[in-house]
Amino acid sequence: MAGNKKTVTKTVEAAKSKYPEVKDIQNNIKEIGGKTAELAQHVKQDGVHQVEEISARVGEKAENLKAAGQRELEKVELKVRANPMQSVAIAFAGGLLASLFLRGRR
């Protein structure tokens, strides 16, 4: 296997001396390798930035939903306090219906 490597090295060296473009191609390949690493780093940074933005938006939406839920709960509490008898009747009817539906499933 070492002999193959020496043969390849000799062939490349011969090509370099005969064809100067080979050196340019080697340099271009090295440059592409470096640019590829830079690109990968930029893509990684962009991905991290996008995840942070999405996380912030999701957190904001969750807070908005929580606040809206709290407002609706307060509205229900006010209605229950304003009409306690009606609220008890509605709760009783709801429980009775749930009981009938659940009993029918067995």
Side-chain angles (χ1 to χ4, degrees), residues 20-34:
E21 297 86 11
V22 171
K23 181 94 170 135
D24 292 338
I25 291 170
Q26 283 181 323
N27 290 337
N28 289 341
I29 289 171
K30 287 178 185 175
E31 185 178 341
I32 289 170

Side-chain angles (χ1 to χ4, degrees), residues 75-90:
K75 287 180 187 178
V76 169
E77 286 179 0
L78 288 174
K79 286 183 181 181
V80 167
R81 289 174 199 248
N83 301 305
M85 292 305 290
Q86 183 183 11
S87 299
V88 169
I90 290 172

Side-chain angles (χ1 to χ4, degrees), residues 86-104 106:
Q86 183 183 11
S87 299
V88 169
I90 290 172
F92 177 77
L96 183 62
L97 286 173
S99 169
L100 292 173
F101 286 130
L102 292 175
R103 184 183 310 158
R106 290 184 192 171

Side-chain angles (χ1 to χ4, degrees), residues 13-72:
E13 292 303 320
K16 280 184 193 177
S17 62
K18 189 172 182 180
Y19 305 105
E21 297 86 11
V22 171
K23 181 94 170 135
D24 292 338
I25 291 170
Q26 283 181 323
N27 290 337
N28 289 341
I29 289 171
K30 287 178 185 175
E31 185 178 341
I32 289 170
K35 297 291 182 183
T36 302
E38 286 179 36
L39 178 62
Q41 185 63 30
H42 289 292
V43 169
K44 180 180 175 183
Q45 289 171 349
D46 288 347
V48 168
H49 180 68
Q50 288 177 351
V51 167
E52 289 171 351
E53 282 183 17
I54 291 169
S55 178
R57 279 191 253 152
V58 167
E60 184 180 321
K61 296 289 183 185
E63 288 297 321
N64 290 343
L65 284 172
K66 183 178 176 182
Q70 188 65 35
R71 286 191 301 270
E72 292 303 314

